[in-house]
C-alpha cells in the first residue's frame, strides 16, 4: 500500500515556488508530480481526473482563489489530501487554509525534514481512506461490439483472480455466463434486485451460484424473470453490496451504453476494453474510448486487450495502438479449437488448460491488473497544459 508512489498535482501562480516544490519532490523517491499549473480551474480538473494522493496548493499571490480551491477539492475530491504551501505568509492565512480543509502546511522553500513529515502524513491519510473503504476491486470487461470474446475473457479473468471473486452477468436479456462455468443457476440478479433496499451479505450469498470456494456467479435473469423492472439504482445497490462481500467483482456488461451499463462502468475501478483485430471492432473501441473521455473516466481506468490476435492478420498491435492512441495491455491469441473446447466443456480455460498460451496470457493480465498495480496506477501525465513540467 505505502509502496505506491505519492502522486501529486500542484497549483502555483509563481514559477519559482513551483520549481522549489518540484525540486523538493524529486529528492523524495516516494513522490511523483503528475502535473502542475497556475490556473485554479485546470488544477481542479486535473485533480478530478487523476485523483492524486495529494494536491499542493501554493497560497501565493491570489490567496483567496487558492483558499476557494482548497474548499472545493476537500468537498469534491475527498480521496486527495490537500496541502497548502507558501513562502512568507501570515499565521492567519495558514490557519484559514487548514480550516478550509488542508491537511498540512508546507513552508517554502521546502525543508527536507518537513517534506518527509508531510509525505508521511499523505501516506497515513491515503492508508486511512483505503482501510475505511475496504471494498473489493471491481473490473468491467467491456466491448461495445458483440462477439469479440468479452464473456470468455471475463469468465477466465474471474477464474484466475487471486482471491474470492464474483462474476456478474449484466447481459440482462441474454446472459450466457453459466455456460462458460458449467453452472445451472437457480437464482439470478433479478432475485437480488427484488430485495432492493434490503440487500445484505445473507441475501447476496443466497442468490449467487458457487462454481468453487473462490469463484461465484451472479447470473443474468432467467427467462421467467422480469427484466424490465431492473433499474440502474438497483444494479448500483447490488454492486455495492457485492464489493463488500468479495475481494474481486468481475462484470460482463452489455455491449451498449445503456443506463445500466454506464452505472456499472462508473462503479468499476477499471475497464478492460476488449476488441478483436477487425476494422469494425477497432473503430468501435475507439468510439468507446471517446465516450469514456466524454463521461470523464481517466484513461488510467481503461486497459485495452486485443482478443483473437494472430500474426497472420495484416493489422499489427502497433497500428491498433496508433489508431486508439492507447497502449495494448494484453493480446490473446486466436485459437478457436482451444477456446470453443473450453466453453463446450463448461470449464474456464485457465483451469482446464492452464499451460495453453491463451491461459498464460490471461494469467499475466490478471496479475498485471490485480497484483501489480492499484486502480488507476501507471497513468502517464497529460501534456496539454503541463507548461511547468518539461518532459
Ligand atoms: N481467443 C479466441 N480465439 C478463438 N475464438 C475465440 C477467442 N475468444 C473468443 N472466441 C470465440 O468467440 C465467440 C464469442 O465469444 P464471447 O461469447 O466470449 O464474446 P462476447 O464478446 O461476449 O459476445 P456476445 O456477448 O455478443 O455473445 C465464442 O464462440 C468464442 O468461442
Ligand atoms: Mg458475451
Amino acid at each position: 500500500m505505502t509502496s505506491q508512489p505519492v502522486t501529486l498535482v500542484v497549483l502555483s501562480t509563481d514559477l519559482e515556488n513551483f520549481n522549489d516544490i518540484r525540486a523538493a519532490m524529486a529528492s523524495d523517491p516516494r513522490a511523483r508530480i503528475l502535473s502542475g499549473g497556475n490556473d485554479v480551474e485546470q488544477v481542479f480538473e486535473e485533480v478530478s481526473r487523476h485523483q492524486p494522493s495529494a494536491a499542493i496548493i501554493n497560497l501565493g499571490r491570489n490567496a483567496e482563489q487558492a483558499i476557494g480551491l482548497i474548499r472545493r477539492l476537500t468537498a469534491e475530491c475527498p480521496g486527495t489530501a490537500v496541502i497548502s504551501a507558501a513562502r512568507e505568509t501570515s499565521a492567519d492565512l495558514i490557519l484559514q487554509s487548514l480550516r478550509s480543509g488542508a491537511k498540512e502546511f508546507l513552508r517554502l522553500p521546502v525543508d527536507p525534514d518537513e517534506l518527509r513529515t508531510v509525505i508521511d502524513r499523505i501516506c497515513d491519510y491515503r492508508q486511512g481512506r483505503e482501510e475505511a473503504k475496504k471494498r473489493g476491486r471491481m473490473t468491467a470487461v467491456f466491448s461495445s461490439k458483440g462477439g469479440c470474446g468479452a464473456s470468455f475473457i471475463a469468465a477466465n479473468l474471474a477464474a484466475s483472480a487471486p482471491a474470492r471473486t464474483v462474476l456478474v452477468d449484466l447481459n440482462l436479456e441474454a446472459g450466457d455466463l453459466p455456460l462458460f462455468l458449467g453452472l445451472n443457476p437457480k437464482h439470478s440478479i433479478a432475485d437480488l434486485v427484488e430485495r432492493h433496499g434490503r440487500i445484505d451479505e445473507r441475501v447476496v450469498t443466497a442468490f449467487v451460484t458457487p462454481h468453487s470456494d473462490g469463484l461465484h456467479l451472479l447470473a443474468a435473469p432467467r427467462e421467467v424473470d422480469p427484466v424490465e423492472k431492473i433499474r440502474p439504482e438497483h444494479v448500483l445497490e447490488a454492486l455495492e453490496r457485492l464489493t463488500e462481500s468479495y475481494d474481486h467483482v468481475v462484470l460482463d456488461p452489455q455491449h451498449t451504453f445503456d443506463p445500466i451499463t454506464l452505472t456499472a462502468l462508473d462503479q468499476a475501478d477499471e475497464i478492460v476494453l476488449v476488441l478483436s483485430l477487425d476494422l469494425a471492432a477497432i473503430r468501435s473501441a475507439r468510439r468507446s474510448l471517446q465516450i469514456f473521455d466524454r463521461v470523464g473516466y481517466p484513461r488510467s481506468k481503461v486497459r485495452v486487450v486485443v482478443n483473437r490476435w494472430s500474426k497472420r492478420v495484416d493489422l499489427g498491435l502497433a497500428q491498433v495502438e496508433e489508431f486508439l492512441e492507447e497502449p495494448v495491455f494484453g493480446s490473446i491469441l486466436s485459437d478457436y479449437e482451444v477456446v470453443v473446447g473450453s466453453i463446450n466443456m463448461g470449464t474456464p480455460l485457465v483451469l482446464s488448460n492452464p499451460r495453453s498460451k491463451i491461459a498464460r496470457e490471461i494469467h499475466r493480465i490478471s496479475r498485471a491488473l490485480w497484483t501489480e498495480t492499484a486502480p488507476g496506477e501507471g497513468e502517464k501525465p497529460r501534456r496539454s497544459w503541463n507548461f511547468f513540467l518539461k518532459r
Side-chain angles (χ1 to χ4, degrees), residues 44 86 92 99 214 224 276 289 329:
F44 180 77
D92 267 0
R99 285 186 179 147
V224 290
S276 50
L289 286 168
F329 191 74

Side-chain angles (χ1 to χ4, degrees), residues 151 171 176 252 255:
S151 298
N171 288 275
D176 50 8
D252 180 15
H255 307 295

Side-chain angles (χ1 to χ4, degrees), residues 335-357:
D335 191 334
Y336 192 74
E337 238 170 81
V338 166
V339 171
V340 172
S342 82
I343 297 173
N344 288 349
M345 209 195 322
T347 308
L349 190 68
V350 290
L351 303 177
S352 65
N353 192 352
R355 285 167 181 274
S356 59
K357 282 193 176 153

Side-chain angles (χ1 to χ4, degrees), residues 29 41 55 111 117 192 199 256 264 268 279 304 315 320-321 348 358 364-365:
E41 278 310 312
D111 170 83
T117 311
L192 201 65
I199 305 175
T256 51
L279 272 180
V304 172
L315 266 166
V320 173
E321 291 187 330
I358 293 181
R364 188 197 64 75
I365 293 171

Side-chain angles (χ1 to χ4, degrees), residues 139-143 145 147-161 165-168 171 176-177 180-181 215 249-253 255 270-277 303-309 328-335 339-340 342-343 347-351 357-367 369-370:
T139 306
V141 181
F142 176 78
S143 166
K145 186 174 169 292
C148 291
S151 298
F152 168 73
I153 295 174
N156 278 276
L157 273 179
S160 69
T165 301
V166 64
L167 178 61
V168 183
N171 288 275
D176 50 8
L177 283 179
F180 289 76
L181 299 183
L215 177 60
V249 180
V250 177
L251 310 177
D252 180 15
H255 307 295
E270 65 233 331
I271 300 170
V272 172
L273 180 63
V274 178
L275 67 147
S276 50
L277 279 183
R303 310 294 194 189
V304 172
V305 169
V306 169
N307 189 27
R308 296 176 155 204
W309 178 72
V328 169
F329 191 74
S331 50
I332 298 170
L333 279 177
S334 180
D335 191 334
V339 171
V340 172
S342 82
I343 297 173
T347 308
L349 190 68
V350 290
L351 303 177
K357 282 193 176 153
I358 293 181
R360 278 190 282 150
E361 173 65 358
I362 290 174
H363 268 299
R364 188 197 64 75
I365 293 171
S366 145
R367 272 197 311 277
L369 275 178
W370 297 324

Side-chain angles (χ1 to χ4, degrees), residues 203-228:
V203 174
V204 167
T205 312
F207 296 135
V208 293
T209 309
H211 174 268
S212 60
D213 283 352
L215 177 60
H216 294 174
L217 171 72
L218 181 59
R222 300 158 307 162
E223 276 166 35
V224 290
D225 293 321
V227 172
E228 50 306 331

Side-chain angles (χ1 to χ4, degrees), residues 144 275 278-288 290 323-324:
S144 54
L275 67 147
D278 57 281
L279 272 180
I282 299 170
R283 271 177 203 278
S284 182
R286 186 157 84 164
R287 263 199 308 276
S288 298
Q290 286 162 350
F323 187 73
L324 297 182

